Amino acid sequence: MLTDLIDTALAGTGWTIHTGPRDDGPAVVLMERWRQADANALAVAAHAGGHPVLPIRWDGALTLIGPVTGPGLRGCVSCAERARIAALPPGGPGDGAQHMGGACPPSAAALVATLAAELATSPEPGLLLAVRGDSPQVSAHRARAFGGCPVCAPLPEDGPDPIAIGSEPLPDPAQLRLPNPRTTPEALRESLADWRLGPAAHLFRWEARPLPLVSAEIVTGVNGRNAGYGRATDFRTAERVALFEALERLTGMRPRRRRTTVEAAYRDLDPAVAVDPDTLGAHDPELQAHPAFVLDPYHPDKTAQWVHAWSLTHDRPRLVPEPLAYWQTPRKPDGSERRMVYDSSNGCGLGNSLAEAILYGLLEVAERDAFLMAWYARTPLRRVAVPDDDPQTAHLADQLDALGHDLLLFDAGNDFDVPVVLAMTRRRDPHPDRPNTLFAAGAHPDPLSAIRAAAVEVVVDTRNAADPRIHVFDPDRLRPMLADPALVRTLDDHVDVNALAEAADRHGFLLTGAEPAPWREVWPAWEPPTDLGAHLADWVGRLGRAGLEVIAVDQTEPVTRDRLGLHAAKVIVPGSLPMTFGHVFRRTTGLDRLAEVPVRLGRVPAVDLDNLHPHPFP
């Protein structure tokens, strides 16, 4: 029988309640009219009352059965509806305040009754059945409490967990990844891809590209969309890469492992533990006065939320501002910005171990830092020849040649002491109304892998930019941005304004006329690592001796860790150049390395930081 607690919770809802076939079976709750808050209340009552329930509810002509919700069951009606509503197309219930409801179509009544009886008799945790009212079609979905659920899988409080890097032998030195049989494309799709609940709502295969391209569209919040992209020599592998990147983006957006608990002003924290935000790149004070600057600027006396991290360099706990650990901090209740600084997915990594995730996050920090340093300091870089021993890169160069573009590669590595390649495509005959120049970068201990990563991205992007069905290039909208960089607001703005023929002088510093050198001549001392942990520890040590501290935030999401063996991390290196989009959000103030390192490397005699153009990073 239902407990008094559940009876009380459901009083006044007008819902119909049926006890199950057994006293210990779930009670069937028919929800004719309801909201997200009602689904939450039902889940809370079922867990607190000690008795499972099987909710059946209507959203227009759609009948939703399950999941069975109650003590010990993860994937409840609350997290199922939260995920489903977030995955709806724009114009749906939005924040969940809108009422939903309806009635079971007579033609589907028998089917709904049969499915409900089967699920009540043999409950499957998290199973949600959706029955269409206009046809006898049933789809099955699995609610998994991804990122936690306040009812069935509450997140624990954040705390200072040590991160220890041990030995992790690499079976194949050419692959900087540990083996993990749980991450086949099929396993990733089964765990992550669900068009009704997400987190990967849709997978798209892009034909007629230089390489197979797959995008994994992810649910980022209420009516929100983002995507992970995969490029490979076959669609199956490209899909795996896209889902990896999608999961990396999701875990980096907001806390899904621990609940943030530290709230304080920097001035009130121990400076030996809390990282000074000013060392992470501050916003330009003059740009903060621009109307487009909508953040709540940092000040040492401003109260903020802080996340526990770990210094791999000094082997001790650290605290970093939450907006720099997770790049999609929710807004305040009044809709205003909570973030005191702008950040992106820069430094986020996903791996088959925490050390692997940290290594890939650190590679991304090195890649973006090198690109921005070269661009802002206008440093000439050594040209690298397109490798004649890599068929994939040669194929991409041939594809570009057929489009009338050249592929240019440059050595952009700096004091991060890792190969970084800046790739550039250039239209041989500039066109006034089409994209002329695009950029990308890649970083990897294997120089050939860095070359390939940069070339793949820039060539695929160049092919996409030439297709009006994918990308709209509007020179009339872009040209005013040349004179007023504050008009550059989005990633596409950054890329497109620098692709204009009139922007050619911005990247002229790269075109010195020097002959390109073979990659083996540029990086003669490369040796493949045989142990991932040892390689990471060695690199952290070298960076420490160069005055750079490596800090890691464990972002691992519990569901994907347990099901897929995947870990996530955000890497922060104070003093490095952070990637931002929207020119008014540029963070270069206080980063002395920008002016010092290019001079130390002998690339320029001095750096002029008075007129920084918006970067073209994609």
Side-chain angles (χ1 to χ4, degrees):
M1 299 293 292
L2 288 175
T3 66
D4 292 340
L5 180 59
I6 294 181
D7 283 334
T8 301
L10 304 186
T13 61
W15 299 341
T16 304
I17 306 169
H18 300 280
T19 57
R22 308 183 314 274
D23 286 345
D24 61 345
V28 178
V29 180
L30 304 181
M31 306 165 65
E32 293 87 358
R33 182 172 168 81
W34 57 284
R35 297 173 303 167
Q36 172 71 54
D38 298 319
N40 299 345
L42 177 58
V44 169
H47 277 265
H51 194 100
V53 298
L54 172 60
I56 302 177
R57 57 210 177 279
W58 289 272
D59 187 1
L62 185 69
T63 300
L64 300 159
I65 308 170
V68 176
T69 298
L73 297 174
R74 290 199 171 193
C76 66
V77 64
S78 176
C79 48
E81 283 308 316
R82 189 166 54 252
R84 189 181 73 88
I85 291 172
L88 291 174
D95 62 2
Q98 177 176 320
H99 271 97
M100 288 159 276
C104 184
S107 60
L111 177 60
V112 169
T114 299
L115 294 172
E118 291 179 355
L119 193 53
T121 303
S122 302
E124 292 187 38
L127 181 61
L128 170 68
L129 302 176
V131 182
R132 286 181 53 170
D134 59 345
S135 64
Q137 293 186 13
V138 181
S139 59
H141 310 271
R142 190 77 60 174
R144 291 201 168 101
F146 181 86
C149 170
V151 181
C152 68
L155 295 180
E157 292 187 355
D158 191 19
D161 291 341
I163 296 177
I165 305 300
S167 176
E168 297 185 2
L170 288 165
D172 181 0
Q175 299 291 325
L176 206 61
R177 293 283 189 187
L178 300 170
N180 184 351
R182 289 187 282 174
T183 59
T184 63
E186 293 75 21
L188 288 171
R189 177 188 279 263
E190 194 277 331
S191 290
L192 300 175
D194 188 310
W195 63 272
R196 198 180 289 281
L197 298 184
H202 299 287
L203 295 170
F204 299 100
R205 290 186 172 188
W206 299 87
E207 306 286 349
R209 304 297 103 184
L211 287 174
L213 171 65
V214 174
S215 60
E217 187 182 72
I218 52 178
V219 179
T220 62
V222 177
N223 293 335
R225 285 292 189 269
N226 207 305
Y229 292 89
R231 307 165 184 86
T233 54
D234 61 87
F235 278 112
R236 184 172 181 271
T237 304
E239 180 179 302
R240 182 175 183 270
V241 175
L243 287 170
F244 253 69
E245 185 172 279
L247 182 58
E248 175 190 297
R249 291 184 183 277
L250 281 166
T251 54
M253 286 179 175
R254 54 182 178 272
R256 302 180 191 272
R257 173 178 174 264
R258 296 283 181 86
R259 180 164 44 86
T260 302
T261 57
V262 178
E263 187 167 349
Y266 173 71
R267 198 182 298 280
D268 297 328
L269 295 170
D270 182 354
V273 177
V275 177
D276 184 353
D278 282 336
T279 67
L280 304 177
H283 292 291
D284 188 322
E286 292 185 4
L287 294 177
Q288 291 183 32
H290 194 278
F293 189 90
V294 295
L295 304 182
D296 189 9
Y298 162 75
H299 187 275
D301 293 326
K302 184 184 295 294
T303 299
Q305 293 182 303
W306 298 75
V307 171
H308 287 278
W310 193 259
S311 171
L312 300 180
T313 303
H314 303 299
D315 195 29
R316 61 184 176 89
R318 294 291 248 155
L319 281 170
V320 297
E322 187 182 80
L324 294 173
Y326 297 95
W327 55 279
Q328 200 188 54
T329 304
R331 292 174 180 266
K332 296 177 181 178
D334 64 1
S336 64
E337 278 283 358
R338 186 188 304 274
R339 295 178 299 171
M340 59 184 182
V341 291
Y342 178 102
D343 201 26
S344 66
S345 61
N346 187 58
C348 291
L350 188 74
N352 300 298
S353 71
L354 185 56
E356 184 181 308
I358 293 170
L359 178 59
Y360 274 87
L362 185 55
L363 285 170
E364 188 169 271
V365 172
E367 172 196 288
R368 274 80 184 282
D369 175 83
F371 187 99
L372 292 176
M373 182 173 289
W375 181 263
Y376 287 142
R378 299 180 60 80
T379 55
L381 302 176
R382 189 178 186 184
R383 181 95 175 269
V384 182
V386 175
D388 56 11
D389 54 350
D390 181 45
Q392 180 173 309
T393 306
H395 163 72
L396 294 170
D398 288 343
Q399 289 267 331
L400 272 183
D401 181 66
L403 291 172
H405 293 251
D406 294 321
L407 174 63
L408 283 66
L409 305 172
F410 302 89
D411 169 20
N414 55 21
D415 58 339
F416 265 82
D417 197 20
V418 66
V420 179
V421 174
L422 186 152
M424 169 183 174
T425 62
R426 184 179 57 165
R427 187 186 295 271
R428 285 192 290 272
D429 296 318
H431 194 288
D433 296 320
R434 294 180 184 174
N436 291 276
T437 308
L438 295 177
F439 295 85
H444 199 279
D446 173 9
L448 200 56
S449 294
I451 289 172
R452 190 180 298 122
V456 164
E457 182 162 355
V458 76
V459 173
V460 172
D461 286 353
T462 300
R463 179 65 182 83
N464 289 345
D467 189 340
R469 296 169 299 177
I470 297 174
H471 184 78
V472 177
F473 186 79
D474 185 354
D476 291 335
R477 186 185 71 87
L478 296 168
R479 287 185 179 112
M481 298 179 189
L482 294 171
D484 184 1
L487 296 174
V488 176
R489 305 288 175 85
T490 68
L491 183 152
D492 285 344
D493 290 346
H494 277 271
V495 173
D496 290 348
V497 70
N498 289 293
L500 288 167
E502 297 93 325
D505 61 329
R506 292 187 175 184
H507 48 76
F509 64 89
L510 291 170
L511 307 176
T512 62
E515 287 297 314
W519 74 269
R520 294 183 187 277
E521 180 182 317
V522 179
W523 297 283
W526 177 75
E527 294 183 6
T530 58
D531 187 291
L532 186 145
H535 177 72
L536 175 60
D538 175 67
W539 193 14
V540 170
R542 285 184 279 122
L543 290 175
R545 290 188 289 275
L548 295 170
E549 180 185 11
V550 179
I551 300 168
V553 177
D554 187 351
Q555 298 178 330
T556 303
E557 196 280 319
V559 172
T560 49
R561 178 198 60 207
D562 297 341
R563 290 185 58 83
L564 300 170
L566 291 174
H567 299 255
K570 164 82 171 193
V571 175
I572 298 169
V573 180
S576 64
L577 277 71
M579 181 60 63
T580 59
F581 297 98
H583 187 68
V584 299
F585 300 123
R586 187 190 70 220
R587 288 168 45 206
T588 53
T589 300
L591 299 180
D592 296 336
R593 286 181 59 257
L594 176 55
E596 295 172 353
V597 172
V599 176
R600 192 190 320 148
L601 295 176
R603 289 175 173 166
V604 291
V607 176
D608 179 9
L609 300 179
D610 290 335
N611 186 23
L612 302 183
H613 296 302
H615 67 77
F617 192 86

